[in-house]
Amino acid sequence: GAVVSQHPSWVICKSGTSVKIECRSLDFQATTMFWYRQFPKQSLMLMATSNEGSKATYEQGVEKDKFLINHASLTLSTLTVTSAHPEDSSFYICSASPGTTTGELFFGEGSRLTVL
Amino acid sequence: DAKTTQPNSMESNEEEPVHLPCNHSTISGTDYIHWYRQLPSQGPEYVIHGLTSNVNNRMASLAIAEDRKSSTLILHRATLRDAAVYYCILRNAGTALIFGKGTTLSVSS
């Protein structure tokens, strides 16, 4: 099946620094990618929809200036957590679909962020 | 968004079939029924999806009620590697998947 890759798999940073997470579709082009975060023992929460060449659409309650999303090409979307704080520590996951709008979505392996 | 209702947890024995139920009484005509599963510390994995007819693939089968208000994911022979959280999600064209709490499946040897 199609492959979505995230990098890094895990990152530890100091409070106040910024962290960038990359999401790549390795064998297909993705006009739209989705970003989720997941806290321990909870379900995935949709953060934003990333559209190639345009601004991302954020879900209610998600700070767009805190979580910067860039979708500069059809195979790459990035999520930058700016001025990270311990409460931003979470598991961040991206997903994308290779084609049909009603078909399956493929997910990255996830990126675990720990802010000290 | 149309919502789904799943049991919080289910248990199974290895090599036995597992039927995971999902209720979606407010499903619309354009909603596809998707199933994903997630192992600890991993991203979700696609399992199967369908619209009206039952579907089979190498991983599982999806049985959809005639009125589409419920569906059942069938794992024909559970293995220890099938222990995961299973999510039943309705997806309309182009939209993101909105995850509920899912069903935690435990498999015993």
Side-chain angles (χ1 to χ4, degrees):
Chain A
V3 178
V4 174
S5 179
Q6 281 184 243
H7 178 81
S9 299
W10 57 270
V11 56
I12 300 173
C13 70
K14 293 182 178 179
S15 186
T17 60
S18 294
V19 174
K20 180 185 286 187
I21 300 170
E22 294 185 346
C23 177
R24 294 181 184 273
S25 54
L26 298 185
D27 51 2
F28 66 94
Q29 294 183 332
T31 305
T32 303
M33 291 184 176
F34 304 99
W35 285 95
Y36 297 82
R37 67 178 171 183
Q38 185 175 33
F39 293 108
K41 298 191 183 301
Q42 293 187 23
S43 188
L44 284 78
M45 186 190 80
L46 178 66
M47 298 176 67
T49 299
S50 168
N51 298 299
E52 187 267 335
S54 64
K55 291 183 178 180
T57 303
Y58 292 82
E59 295 299 303
Q60 190 173 6
V62 178
E63 301 175 56
K64 62 179 182 180
D65 295 328
K66 173 80 171 172
F67 300 98
L68 300 178
I69 292 173
N70 184 287
H71 194 156
S73 78
L74 289 172
T75 59
L76 173 64
S77 177
T78 61
L79 168 67
T80 301
V81 183
T82 63
S83 186
H85 287 94
E87 56 266 31
D88 298 323
S89 298
S90 188
F91 193 49
Y92 292 88
I93 308 167
C94 70
S95 73
S97 175
T100 61
T101 57
T102 56
E104 61 203 90
L105 286 177
F106 294 94
F107 288 81
E109 315 95 317
S111 300
R112 186 164 301 283
L113 170 63
T114 301
V115 185
L116 302 177
Chain B
D1 295 322
K3 293 184 177 179
T4 63
T5 304
Q6 300 178 251
N8 289 333
S9 62
M10 291 187 66
E11 298 180 351
S12 175
N13 294 317
E14 208 173 5
E15 299 191 2
E16 289 186 356
V18 181
H19 289 65
L20 297 167
C22 181
N23 287 319
H24 29 78
S25 59
T26 59
I27 189 171
S28 74
T30 55
D31 284 331
Y32 280 72
I33 302 162
H34 283 241
W35 283 83
Y36 291 77
R37 69 182 185 182
Q38 185 182 27
L39 278 66
S41 298
Q42 294 187 25
E45 175 188 27
Y46 167 79
V47 178
I48 201 167
H49 78 286
L51 182 62
T52 56
S53 302
N54 295 343
V55 185
N56 299 296
N57 66 20
R58 63 176 181 81
M59 289 182 68
S61 295
L62 176 60
I64 301 173
E66 198 169 332
D67 63 5
R68 301 213 320 131
K69 293 185 177 182
S70 66
S71 61
T72 302
L73 178 70
I74 303 166
L75 305 180
H76 297 286
R77 289 183 64 197
T79 69
L80 296 177
R81 287 177 292 181
D82 291 324
V85 180
Y86 286 78
Y87 298 98
C88 169
I89 307 170
L90 302 182
R91 185 185 186 213
N92 213 323
T95 61
L97 294 171
I98 304 302
F99 287 78
K101 295 182 178 180
T103 296
T104 300
L105 175 66
S106 302
V107 181
S108 302
S109 58

